[in-house]
Amino acid sequence: SWKVAEPSDAALKGKWWEMFNDPQLNALEDQVNISNQNIAAALQNFLAARSLVKQAQSSLFPTVTADPGLTKSKPARSGGGTLTSSTNGTGSIYSSYSLPLDASWEPDLWGSIRNTVRADAYAAQATAATLENMRLTAQAELAVDFYELRGQDELIRLYDETVKGYQQSVDLTRTLFETGIDSELDVVQADTLLQTTLAQATGLAIQRAQLEHAIALLAGQPASTFSLNPAPIETQLPSVPVGLPSQLLERRPDVASAERTVAQANAQIGVARAAYFPALSLTGSTGFQSTSLADLLTPPSFFWSLGATLSQTIFDAGRRKAVNDQAWATYRSTVATYRQTVLTAFQQVEDNVAALRILSAEMQQQQVAVKASQRNVELAVERYKLGVNSYLNVITAQVTLLNNQQTAVNLREQQMTSTVQLIMALGGGWDTNNLPSSKKLALKPPPSS
């Protein structure tokens, strides 16, 4: 059966985040499905939409009401000042008892109610798809924030190691200066680079803290009590099967929501069209009425009545035509929105496929650049120690190495986040078969037209 309250639902089969083989990410994603408040709100929206289907379907059946009553009356005095006799012979005050049952029914001759049920059922399905899109979005945002945070951890580690190396350079230049081999300028330059890098390393903690707080929010936890220990990006880049473009239309919950919204608007046209035809109302009433409680349920106290009313709007100053035109315009608008959603889905897949392909090549090139920069630093330091080059060459080589290493870390982070975004663009393992059927949304399937 299709449910939405538990993270082990069919809509979450496969748990795409397990492709990354990161236990900490897995635990956080499971927490998102349980505690994320946006998902909780979307779930309640779906439950409300499902209730609307049952409300609309109830109009297909007669309405029966019971209105038992007790009335006590005192007649006015006659002109001579004496009391009129009561109908029950007990004095001037008498009672009247009634136990009526009233029934009314408006047959759905022109499909207005059936189309309303269909429209509400499609709306509920669209809301269910929106719920899954909200769930997928929260999951993907958490994974992106998680790997961005791990990227910050890599940068912090890189800067810590760089600061240690720069401190050694400061010590080297100071030693050479104190022995009279080097000038104070080289000491100041080395110390300036060290202090600048220290400030940059300190600033990295700001973005890491913000990413940690964003993850806490997505997981439904207070930011003040949530923390993640620093760790490098150790996950291997998973291979994501893209599939055919036609399959994307069944994978994306936002596409499914837009498609169901089109179907809802189409059903609303049928509701608007039914207003052009006459409406038939059937009413009936039966029950018992007596001035004596003892005689209330006797055959003489029984009554009944039946009636039928046929109503047709003769003149409404164009109101029905305007409602019909509105329904058609809404339908055409939802069709355009659906097409735009499909085009956006195709674009997002192609964007991330291209990004991963280009990032892979760029990452290989960047690794070569890092190795070359490391060799450049080694040569610059050796030549400085020999007095061949000034310390400015060492600084230039060190800055170039740090920039290339930072770029490599950023590229690795982009590879992970682009993979997450590609999985999200492909629907995250969701499928339209996970949508609730009409039978599960309503008391019974809507009757055919």
PDB file of all heavy atoms in Angstrom, residues 142-159:
ATOM      1  N   LEU A 142      20.368  18.580   1.796  1.00  0.00           N
ATOM      2  CA  LEU A 142      21.199  18.109   2.895  1.00  0.00           C
ATOM      3  C   LEU A 142      22.491  17.488   2.363  1.00  0.00           C
ATOM      4  O   LEU A 142      23.578  17.732   2.888  1.00  0.00           O
ATOM      5  CB  LEU A 142      20.440  17.096   3.749  1.00  0.00           C
ATOM      6  CG  LEU A 142      21.199  16.625   4.997  1.00  0.00           C
ATOM      7  CD1 LEU A 142      20.255  16.511   6.194  1.00  0.00           C
ATOM      8  CD2 LEU A 142      21.878  15.276   4.774  1.00  0.00           C
ATOM      9  N   ALA A 143      22.378  16.663   1.309  1.00  0.00           N
ATOM     10  CA  ALA A 143      23.572  16.032   0.752  1.00  0.00           C
ATOM     11  C   ALA A 143      24.536  17.073   0.194  1.00  0.00           C
ATOM     12  O   ALA A 143      25.758  16.971   0.374  1.00  0.00           O
ATOM     13  CB  ALA A 143      23.181  15.030  -0.329  1.00  0.00           C
ATOM     14  N   VAL A 144      23.994  18.101  -0.491  1.00  0.00           N
ATOM     15  CA  VAL A 144      24.847  19.170  -1.025  1.00  0.00           C
ATOM     16  C   VAL A 144      25.537  19.909   0.117  1.00  0.00           C
ATOM     17  O   VAL A 144      26.755  20.153   0.083  1.00  0.00           O
ATOM     18  CB  VAL A 144      24.013  20.139  -1.892  1.00  0.00           C
ATOM     19  CG1 VAL A 144      24.814  21.410  -2.194  1.00  0.00           C
ATOM     20  CG2 VAL A 144      23.599  19.468  -3.192  1.00  0.00           C
ATOM     21  N   ASP A 145      24.778  20.274   1.148  1.00  0.00           N
ATOM     22  CA  ASP A 145      25.377  20.963   2.304  1.00  0.00           C
ATOM     23  C   ASP A 145      26.409  20.081   2.990  1.00  0.00           C
ATOM     24  O   ASP A 145      27.446  20.567   3.462  1.00  0.00           O
ATOM     25  CB  ASP A 145      24.287  21.362   3.301  1.00  0.00           C
ATOM     26  CG  ASP A 145      23.398  22.482   2.784  1.00  0.00           C
ATOM     27  OD1 ASP A 145      23.793  23.143   1.807  1.00  0.00           O
ATOM     28  OD2 ASP A 145      22.312  22.694   3.355  1.00  0.00           O
ATOM     29  N   PHE A 146      26.129  18.779   3.054  1.00  0.00           N
ATOM     30  CA  PHE A 146      27.040  17.849   3.708  1.00  0.00           C
ATOM     31  C   PHE A 146      28.385  17.822   2.998  1.00  0.00           C
ATOM     32  O   PHE A 146      29.450  17.903   3.643  1.00  0.00           O
ATOM     33  CB  PHE A 146      26.412  16.449   3.731  1.00  0.00           C
ATOM     34  CG  PHE A 146      27.263  15.405   4.391  1.00  0.00           C
ATOM     35  CD1 PHE A 146      27.275  15.257   5.769  1.00  0.00           C
ATOM     36  CD2 PHE A 146      28.053  14.545   3.631  1.00  0.00           C
ATOM     37  CE1 PHE A 146      28.058  14.292   6.383  1.00  0.00           C
ATOM     38  CE2 PHE A 146      28.839  13.575   4.232  1.00  0.00           C
ATOM     39  CZ  PHE A 146      28.839  13.443   5.612  1.00  0.00           C
ATOM     40  N   TYR A 147      28.369  17.737   1.672  1.00  0.00           N
ATOM     41  CA  TYR A 147      29.638  17.671   0.939  1.00  0.00           C
ATOM     42  C   TYR A 147      30.306  19.039   0.819  1.00  0.00           C
ATOM     43  O   TYR A 147      31.539  19.118   0.708  1.00  0.00           O
ATOM     44  CB  TYR A 147      29.424  17.018  -0.422  1.00  0.00           C
ATOM     45  CG  TYR A 147      29.262  15.526  -0.292  1.00  0.00           C
ATOM     46  CD1 TYR A 147      28.057  14.904  -0.574  1.00  0.00           C
ATOM     47  CD2 TYR A 147      30.317  14.750   0.165  1.00  0.00           C
ATOM     48  CE1 TYR A 147      27.905  13.535  -0.424  1.00  0.00           C
ATOM     49  CE2 TYR A 147      30.170  13.375   0.330  1.00  0.00           C
ATOM     50  CZ  TYR A 147      28.967  12.773   0.033  1.00  0.00           C
ATOM     51  OH  TYR A 147      28.824  11.421   0.206  1.00  0.00           O
ATOM     52  N   GLU A 148      29.526  20.101   0.859  1.00  0.00           N
ATOM     53  CA  GLU A 148      30.145  21.421   0.946  1.00  0.00           C
ATOM     54  C   GLU A 148      30.851  21.595   2.299  1.00  0.00           C
ATOM     55  O   GLU A 148      31.933  22.194   2.374  1.00  0.00           O
ATOM     56  CB  GLU A 148      29.097  22.512   0.743  1.00  0.00           C
ATOM     57  CG  GLU A 148      28.636  22.646  -0.706  1.00  0.00           C
ATOM     58  CD  GLU A 148      27.634  23.764  -0.893  1.00  0.00           C
ATOM     59  OE1 GLU A 148      27.183  24.320   0.124  1.00  0.00           O
ATOM     60  OE2 GLU A 148      27.315  24.085  -2.053  1.00  0.00           O
ATOM     61  N   LEU A 149      30.231  21.078   3.354  1.00  0.00           N
ATOM     62  CA  LEU A 149      30.872  21.128   4.672  1.00  0.00           C
ATOM     63  C   LEU A 149      32.152  20.290   4.676  1.00  0.00           C
ATOM     64  O   LEU A 149      33.180  20.706   5.223  1.00  0.00           O
ATOM     65  CB  LEU A 149      29.894  20.630   5.730  1.00  0.00           C
ATOM     66  CG  LEU A 149      30.399  20.669   7.179  1.00  0.00           C
ATOM     67  CD1 LEU A 149      29.298  21.143   8.115  1.00  0.00           C
ATOM     68  CD2 LEU A 149      30.882  19.290   7.629  1.00  0.00           C
ATOM     69  N   ARG A 150      32.097  19.104   4.066  1.00  0.00           N
ATOM     70  CA  ARG A 150      33.305  18.287   3.976  1.00  0.00           C
ATOM     71  C   ARG A 150      34.367  18.994   3.127  1.00  0.00           C
ATOM     72  O   ARG A 150      35.577  18.859   3.393  1.00  0.00           O
ATOM     73  CB  ARG A 150      32.967  16.917   3.386  1.00  0.00           C
ATOM     74  CG  ARG A 150      32.156  16.033   4.333  1.00  0.00           C
ATOM     75  CD  ARG A 150      32.953  15.703   5.562  1.00  0.00           C
ATOM     76  NE  ARG A 150      32.198  14.920   6.538  1.00  0.00           N
ATOM     77  CZ  ARG A 150      31.989  15.285   7.773  1.00  0.00           C
ATOM     78  NH1 ARG A 150      32.456  16.456   8.205  1.00  0.00           N
ATOM     79  NH2 ARG A 150      31.338  14.516   8.606  1.00  0.00           N
ATOM     80  N   GLY A 151      33.955  19.734   2.123  1.00  0.00           N
ATOM     81  CA  GLY A 151      34.906  20.535   1.355  1.00  0.00           C
ATOM     82  C   GLY A 151      35.569  21.591   2.214  1.00  0.00           C
ATOM     83  O   GLY A 151      36.777  21.845   2.098  1.00  0.00           O
ATOM     84  N   GLN A 152      34.777  22.217   3.097  1.00  0.00           N
ATOM     85  CA  GLN A 152      35.366  23.183   4.033  1.00  0.00           C
ATOM     86  C   GLN A 152      36.352  22.509   4.978  1.00  0.00           C
ATOM     87  O   GLN A 152      37.394  23.081   5.316  1.00  0.00           O
ATOM     88  CB  GLN A 152      34.254  23.872   4.834  1.00  0.00           C
ATOM     89  CG  GLN A 152      33.399  24.829   4.023  1.00  0.00           C
ATOM     90  CD  GLN A 152      34.220  25.974   3.452  1.00  0.00           C
ATOM     91  OE1 GLN A 152      34.387  26.090   2.236  1.00  0.00           O
ATOM     92  NE2 GLN A 152      34.743  26.826   4.311  1.00  0.00           N
ATOM     93  N   ASP A 153      36.015  21.282   5.406  1.00  0.00           N
ATOM     94  CA  ASP A 153      36.955  20.545   6.258  1.00  0.00           C
ATOM     95  C   ASP A 153      38.274  20.303   5.528  1.00  0.00           C
ATOM     96  O   ASP A 153      39.361  20.404   6.123  1.00  0.00           O
ATOM     97  CB  ASP A 153      36.336  19.208   6.676  1.00  0.00           C
ATOM     98  CG  ASP A 153      35.188  19.397   7.666  1.00  0.00           C
ATOM     99  OD1 ASP A 153      35.113  20.471   8.287  1.00  0.00           O
ATOM    100  OD2 ASP A 153      34.374  18.464   7.813  1.00  0.00           O
ATOM    101  N   GLU A 154      38.188  19.960   4.238  1.00  0.00           N
ATOM    102  CA  GLU A 154      39.401  19.756   3.444  1.00  0.00           C
ATOM    103  C   GLU A 154      40.204  21.049   3.339  1.00  0.00           C
ATOM    104  O   GLU A 154      41.439  21.051   3.449  1.00  0.00           O
ATOM    105  CB  GLU A 154      39.020  19.264   2.049  1.00  0.00           C
ATOM    106  CG  GLU A 154      38.557  17.816   1.998  1.00  0.00           C
ATOM    107  CD  GLU A 154      39.717  16.842   1.977  1.00  0.00           C
ATOM    108  OE1 GLU A 154      40.879  17.290   2.063  1.00  0.00           O
ATOM    109  OE2 GLU A 154      39.462  15.626   1.911  1.00  0.00           O
ATOM    110  N   LEU A 155      39.498  22.174   3.113  1.00  0.00           N
ATOM    111  CA  LEU A 155      40.198  23.454   3.006  1.00  0.00           C
ATOM    112  C   LEU A 155      40.849  23.835   4.335  1.00  0.00           C
ATOM    113  O   LEU A 155      41.983  24.356   4.360  1.00  0.00           O
ATOM    114  CB  LEU A 155      39.223  24.545   2.560  1.00  0.00           C
ATOM    115  CG  LEU A 155      38.770  24.501   1.099  1.00  0.00           C
ATOM    116  CD1 LEU A 155      37.753  25.598   0.829  1.00  0.00           C
ATOM    117  CD2 LEU A 155      39.957  24.646   0.147  1.00  0.00           C
ATOM    118  N   ILE A 156      40.142  23.601   5.436  1.00  0.00           N
ATOM    119  CA  ILE A 156      40.712  23.920   6.753  1.00  0.00           C
ATOM    120  C   ILE A 156      41.960  23.084   6.999  1.00  0.00           C
ATOM    121  O   ILE A 156      42.983  23.595   7.493  1.00  0.00           O
ATOM    122  CB  ILE A 156      39.655  23.682   7.856  1.00  0.00           C
ATOM    123  CG1 ILE A 156      38.535  24.730   7.736  1.00  0.00           C
ATOM    124  CG2 ILE A 156      40.292  23.752   9.236  1.00  0.00           C
ATOM    125  CD1 ILE A 156      37.361  24.493   8.650  1.00  0.00           C
ATOM    126  N   ARG A 157      41.895  21.797   6.654  1.00  0.00           N
ATOM    127  CA  ARG A 157      43.077  20.940   6.801  1.00  0.00           C
ATOM    128  C   ARG A 157      44.220  21.442   5.909  1.00  0.00           C
ATOM    129  O   ARG A 157      45.392  21.498   6.334  1.00  0.00           O
ATOM    130  CB  ARG A 157      42.720  19.500   6.433  1.00  0.00           C
ATOM    131  CG  ARG A 157      43.884  18.512   6.564  1.00  0.00           C
ATOM    132  CD  ARG A 157      43.539  17.191   5.906  1.00  0.00           C
ATOM    133  NE  ARG A 157      43.263  17.359   4.486  1.00  0.00           N
ATOM    134  CZ  ARG A 157      44.203  17.483   3.551  1.00  0.00           C
ATOM    135  NH1 ARG A 157      45.490  17.481   3.883  1.00  0.00           N
ATOM    136  NH2 ARG A 157      43.860  17.610   2.288  1.00  0.00           N
ATOM    137  N   LEU A 158      43.884  21.821   4.681  1.00  0.00           N
ATOM    138  CA  LEU A 158      44.895  22.328   3.754  1.00  0.00           C
ATOM    139  C   LEU A 158      45.545  23.593   4.297  1.00  0.00           C
ATOM    140  O   LEU A 158      46.787  23.734   4.265  1.00  0.00           O
ATOM    141  CB  LEU A 158      44.253  22.598   2.396  1.00  0.00           C
ATOM    142  CG  LEU A 158      45.120  23.313   1.350  1.00  0.00           C
ATOM    143  CD1 LEU A 158      46.339  22.477   1.002  1.00  0.00           C
ATOM    144  CD2 LEU A 158      44.288  23.626   0.105  1.00  0.00           C
ATOM    145  N   TYR A 159      44.738  24.494   4.809  1.00  0.00           N
ATOM    146  CA  TYR A 159      45.279  25.741   5.344  1.00  0.00           C
ATOM    147  C   TYR A 159      46.106  25.491   6.604  1.00  0.00           C
ATOM    148  O   TYR A 159      47.117  26.171   6.830  1.00  0.00           O
ATOM    149  CB  TYR A 159      44.161  26.738   5.622  1.00  0.00           C
ATOM    150  CG  TYR A 159      43.863  27.641   4.446  1.00  0.00           C
ATOM    151  CD1 TYR A 159      43.089  27.204   3.374  1.00  0.00           C
ATOM    152  CD2 TYR A 159      44.364  28.934   4.385  1.00  0.00           C
ATOM    153  CE1 TYR A 159      42.816  28.017   2.300  1.00  0.00           C
ATOM    154  CE2 TYR A 159      44.108  29.765   3.312  1.00  0.00           C
ATOM    155  CZ  TYR A 159      43.328  29.305   2.264  1.00  0.00           C
ATOM    156  OH  TYR A 159      43.086  30.116   1.178  1.00  0.00           O
TER     157      TYR A 159
END
